[in-house]
Amino acid sequence: MMDRLGNSGEGSRTLPIRFVGSGSEYFRIWIVNLLLTLLTVGLYYPFAKVRRLRYFHGCTEVDGHPLEFHGKPWAMLRGYALVAQLALVYGFAQRSSPLAAGIALLILMAIGPALWHSSLRFRLANTAWRGIRLRFAGTLGGAYAAVGPAYLLALGFMLLAWTAGTGATRGKEPPLLLSLTPLLIVLATPWLLWRAKRYQHVHYEYASERSSFSARVPQVYGVFLRTVLLSMALGAVVAVVVGLGAPGLFALGGLGELGKPKPGTVIVYSLLIVLAALLFQVLLRSYFTARLQDLVWGHTASRRLRFASRLRARSLAGVTARNWLLMVLTLGLFYPFAAVATARLRLQAVSIDADADIDDLVARRSGGPAEAAGDAAADVLGVDIGL
Amino acid sequence: VIHRIDALLFDGHSARARRVTLRIDGIELVAEGEHTWRWPLDQVRWPERTRHGQRVLVLDGGERLQCADVRAFDDWAAAQGRRDGLVVRLQRSWRATALALVATVAVLAAVYQWGVPLAARAVLAFVPASVDQAVGQRALDSLPEGWLMPSRVGAERQAKLRQAFADALARAHPPAQGTLPAWRLEFRAADKALGPNALALPGGTIIVTDAMMDLLADRPDALLGVLGHEWGHVRHRHGMQGLARATAVGAMASLVVGDFSSLLAAAPALLAQMSYSRDFEREADAEAVRLLRAAGQSPAAMVEFFKRLRGIAGSRRVPIALASHPDSEERLRYFEDAARP
């Protein structure tokens, strides 16, 4: 039962998520704010970012009520300056020498979890729905614990690369356990991803609700396994098409002197191969993204709210392929339309089952101010909450 | 004129929505529903207007007033004398956004043309030469195994060219004009793919392939010109500038489309590297001319070099380094002009 205010009565019901933004409107927001960012040598960036987030939050309506974003650009500016410097130094170090790149990577690894943690805190604390702010309750220590095993493996790998480099000159083999790290990394990746997702998804809070995460490790392995199987199947198809297609194409294009294919035919053929490779990647990525989103959000629930996600890999692949094509054809101008299309598809695939009277939910307490540096890092490092 | 609009009030503590009617009373915003709420107007934060989505007024005390009827809200706000900020007005106008688009493209082009090179130079002033050497070493290490083998060129011939180069340098840059960056001349037998070639690595190492020494065996003046070109790369730290510029362009690209795809953001950096290298070649050619003149030779030596290079390349594309550079016609003309008295 629901009255016209969206205040529900007894029983459970589904809260739909709708994304009402439009590409053409976001295009205008994007281009104006991009220009201002360029004219101010990047100083305007946090303001542009706030406007973008406000638009995307405001256009995300859960049960008819928009999300709100409350980040303060001035508070974010300092964080951005810090992270921009870090990123530039890192980008330069990466290209200069292996030692500098190694040191930069170690520093980044050391502060990475802290930035991740503060990014989540910042994002959630500045997002509100029905007047109540969300909260991220994860601790700093928890962030380090979540990535701990991944770091151990990464360090093992670096050590291996190093001993292989120095050992090769002396003809020595690295120790067996160390040689196994690449294999271990491959085998452990789904588990490591699960740890990261679990850290995020057991710490979301809204009012008195605290999320829990019930996806099991084998399910994440299942997603990876099915993606690998799909890639093998697609690979086989591509191989057959390329194998059969090549002689046909050359026959059509004609052969030049001495039986060599004409240059034009070769160019067309290589273009087709590049396209096939891109399409291959789009299909695989879309499949993986969709299955992971469904798994992760479908197993996120609190006492009275349950998330569900039904994202079709085929739709995501279609939208992604179209985005790519138009992005390239318009030299990037399609970007805002692409961002809106992807957001709409991924957000509208999610719904929330609410058990009880949502009106009973009462904010616990207001969280302290969250540090904006983490949010800047999320931009640069590409970590986000996955929606 | 609209005086009242309907809205939902959220008090910031509970998720309950309360239906209210809003009006402005003097310096107060008044919400009337099951109770009456009053806030001073200076505690009200107004939303920016967008075509899609709802309007949410935020009070300093944490309350929200949410209005789904966007048109009514805008009329009501306008009736209160609310005006959009400049940015919002730009965003709402197609004409302004079209102008912004043109301006953005112009700014990006200007930054690419002048800003990035300037910034790269400024940053490099703070980078010590030891970094250049590390970068050069890394570039050398990254070459496939077997690409560079010990040279078959006799030690005597090597020493002679080295001496001629050092003499020309000393004459082109008198010591009074300050110290020159360090350089080292090396000879290598290279893989066929490199062909007659010369490379300048960051840090000052210049590598000349045996094929190059063979190609110009009878023209030591042209060899000097080739060395002069590579020296130009060393002197202007082109390798490092290329790195710094690629980093800057990459950062710019990720600012524009970064969160769509890092792959797509990397493409401009790659293209930039190719087009900036054209500027570098021009600078390096100028250095070659300068060195040849200082040594009392004619820049025509380089014309001969280009002709020979084209001769061995035939109709297929010319090999890397010196000649991978586009516009070899233009460069040929440059040396021809320089050779005229």
Side-chain angles (χ1 to χ4, degrees):
Chain A
M1 299 254 282
M2 173 172 69
D3 67 20
R4 280 173 55 208
L5 297 181
N7 294 335
S8 56
E10 294 298 306
S12 99
R13 65 190 184 89
T14 301
L15 318 181
I17 297 184
R18 244 162 49 86
F19 186 79
V20 299
S22 81
S24 67
E25 176 158 44
Y26 181 47
F27 176 82
R28 288 177 284 144
I29 295 175
W30 174 71
I31 199 74
V32 168
N33 288 280
L34 178 61
L35 177 63
L36 290 171
T37 304
L38 290 172
L39 290 179
T40 54
V41 206
L43 288 181
Y44 194 77
Y45 184 73
F47 296 84
K49 174 86 189 287
V50 164
R51 204 164 265 126
R52 185 180 87 209
L53 285 175
R54 262 200 231 138
Y55 185 69
F56 275 84
H57 276 63
C59 287
T60 308
E61 294 185 350
V62 180
D63 196 30
H65 298 296
L67 298 183
E68 304 161 35
F69 180 72
H70 292 291
K72 299 273 183 302
W74 283 107
M76 291 161 78
L77 187 59
R78 212 191 46 187
Y80 276 93
L82 184 83
V83 172
Q85 281 172 28
L86 262 176
L88 273 183
V89 169
Y90 180 70
F92 196 75
Q94 229 183 0
R95 292 156 204 236
S96 56
S97 84
L99 184 66
I103 292 172
L105 184 66
L106 282 177
I107 293 176
L108 202 67
M109 278 173 70
I111 60 171
L115 290 173
W116 182 37
H117 168 251
S118 71
S119 148
L120 287 163
R121 265 173 56 93
F122 180 82
R123 263 304 167 82
L124 274 278
N126 282 304
T127 300
W129 181 63
R130 297 179 73 134
I132 300 179
R133 286 180 184 235
L134 277 66
R135 245 167 61 83
F136 183 72
T139 60
L140 184 59
Y144 278 94
V147 296
Y151 277 15
L152 267 181
L153 284 171
L155 284 180
F157 185 71
M158 283 186 195
L159 208 61
L160 173 70
W162 184 68
T163 49
T166 56
T169 48
R170 282 181 256 129
K172 267 199 288 185
E173 292 282 318
L176 181 67
L177 187 65
L178 220 49
S179 328
L180 286 177
T181 41
L183 181 68
L184 280 179
I185 289 175
V186 170
L187 289 179
T189 299
W191 176 62
L192 297 172
L193 183 66
W194 175 81
R195 287 182 67 87
K197 289 292 175 194
R198 185 188 56 171
Y199 171 70
Q200 293 185 333
H201 286 250
V202 298
H203 289 124
Y204 294 145
E205 287 189 358
Y206 177 73
S208 52
E209 298 292 293
R210 164 80 168 265
S211 67
S212 64
F213 185 58
S214 59
R216 287 171 302 112
V217 181
Q219 293 177 299
V220 182
Y221 273 89
V223 170
F224 273 84
L225 191 67
R226 270 173 286 157
T227 309
V228 169
L229 288 178
L230 178 67
S231 86
M232 292 196 306
L234 280 176
V237 171
V238 169
V240 167
V241 170
V242 167
L244 292 181
L249 196 66
F250 285 136
L252 270 180
L255 298 175
E257 49 183 327
L258 300 175
K260 281 186 192 156
K262 280 182 189 161
T265 321
V266 175
I267 289 172
V268 169
Y269 190 58
S270 355
L271 267 180
L272 281 179
I273 289 183
V274 170
L275 265 180
L278 270 179
L279 198 65
F280 185 74
Q281 216 210 0
V282 165
L283 286 173
L284 277 188
R285 275 216 190 169
S286 304
Y287 179 78
F288 181 76
T289 308
R291 289 291 73 81
L292 193 68
Q293 175 177 321
D294 284 3
L295 175 67
V296 165
W297 283 100
H299 288 82
T300 301
S302 66
R303 210 155 52 85
R304 292 188 281 191
L305 301 168
R306 267 183 318 278
F307 285 88
S309 171
R310 277 170 214 88
L311 180 57
R312 283 159 52 101
R314 230 178 307 164
S315 320
L316 186 60
V319 166
T320 311
R322 199 187 57 142
N323 285 348
W324 264 98
L325 183 70
L326 291 170
M327 280 286 280
V328 171
L329 288 181
T330 59
L331 300 176
L333 286 183
F334 189 72
Y335 162 71
F337 298 88
V340 164
T342 308
R344 172 172 293 123
L345 187 69
R346 292 189 68 177
L347 285 167
Q348 293 195 352
V350 180
S351 63
I352 304 169
D353 280 329
D355 246 0
D357 199 337
I358 308 173
D359 298 348
D360 290 349
L361 294 176
V362 172
R364 274 201 331 192
R365 63 195 161 92
S366 55
E371 185 56 52
D375 200 57
D379 267 16
V380 175
L381 308 176
V383 288
D384 217 324
I385 52 175
L387 252 186
Chain B
V1 182
I2 299 177
H3 294 291
R4 296 161 183 274
I5 52 155
D6 293 331
L8 295 181
L9 166 70
F10 294 99
D11 63 11
H13 297 291
S14 119
R16 175 173 296 277
R18 294 182 170 88
R19 201 194 295 274
V20 292
T21 311
L22 295 182
R23 65 183 169 85
I24 304 254
D25 180 13
I27 54 158
E28 282 186 325
L29 173 67
V30 182
E32 286 163 329
E34 44 190 288
H35 304 287
T36 302
W37 291 263
R38 286 173 178 274
W39 302 275
L41 273 178
D42 59 5
Q43 291 183 10
V44 181
R45 270 167 287 153
W46 295 78
E48 289 186 345
R49 290 207 296 152
T50 52
R51 195 154 61 82
H52 299 275
Q54 308 186 12
R55 299 281 183 268
V56 181
L57 283 169
V58 181
L59 284 309
D60 282 354
E63 299 92 339
R64 312 302 203 269
L65 293 159
Q66 191 175 298
C67 180
D69 189 347
V70 171
R71 191 163 302 164
F73 181 93
D74 288 348
D75 289 346
W76 175 71
Q80 315 306 324
R82 295 290 315 168
R83 287 261 290 145
D84 289 329
L86 175 66
V87 176
V88 175
R89 264 179 285 151
L90 292 176
Q91 280 170 188
R92 291 182 65 85
S93 144
W94 273 108
R95 194 189 303 168
T97 38
L99 280 177
L101 175 59
V102 172
T104 302
V105 171
V107 169
L108 281 175
V111 167
Y112 180 83
Q113 185 69 36
W114 298 292
V116 168
L118 218 66
R121 194 158 302 167
V123 166
L124 280 185
F126 295 99
V127 176
S130 58
V131 174
D132 293 34
Q133 296 199 334
V135 174
Q137 192 56 47
R138 194 182 182 193
L140 207 54
D141 292 344
S142 69
L143 283 179
E145 200 143 331
W147 267 49
L148 294 179
M149 313 286 271
S151 172
R152 282 172 280 98
V153 175
E156 196 187 330
R157 212 177 144 215
Q158 291 190 12
K160 217 169 135 193
L161 184 60
R162 208 169 268 131
Q163 190 57 48
F165 179 52
D167 288 347
L169 270 186
R171 242 179 281 165
H173 304 275
Q177 288 178 5
T179 50
L180 293 176
W183 57 273
R184 214 174 61 188
L185 181 53
E186 305 235 0
F187 299 87
R188 290 282 184 278
D191 189 88
K192 259 210 180 96
L194 279 173
N197 220 324
L199 326 157
L201 298 173
T205 303
I206 296 173
I207 297 175
V208 180
T209 66
D210 284 5
M212 177 69 88
M213 295 297 280
D214 293 344
L215 182 73
L216 300 174
D218 57 330
R219 292 296 297 262
D221 55 339
L223 269 179
L224 194 63
V226 169
L227 288 183
H229 174 96
E230 298 307 325
W231 158 250
H233 288 318
V234 171
R235 183 172 172 228
H236 298 292
R237 290 173 92 182
H238 282 157
M240 297 299 283
Q241 279 199 42
L243 277 184
R245 290 180 186 191
T247 307
V249 171
M252 224 163 63
S254 59
L255 194 72
V256 180
V257 293
D259 40 58
F260 176 72
S261 153
S262 50
L263 182 63
L264 205 65
L270 204 68
L271 294 175
Q273 220 152 11
M274 278 153 65
S275 92
Y276 282 134
S277 79
R278 220 167 296 177
D279 303 343
F280 294 159
E281 294 317 311
R282 259 177 233 128
E283 270 187 346
D285 282 347
E287 203 65 32
V289 168
R290 180 172 178 181
L291 210 69
L292 281 170
R293 284 193 180 137
Q297 309 277 6
S298 164
M302 289 302 276
V303 177
E304 173 63 19
F305 163 66
F306 270 101
K307 283 185 178 151
R308 287 193 188 181
L309 205 56
R310 203 178 293 168
I312 58 152
S315 60
R316 104 193 135 88
R317 277 202 68 215
V318 264
I320 343 181
L322 253 179
S324 72
H325 314 137
D327 305 335
S328 65
E329 272 309 317
E330 185 194 315
R331 298 178 62 200
L332 195 60
R333 245 177 288 124
Y334 173 75
F335 285 113
E336 277 169 356
D337 290 347
R340 281 192 201 110

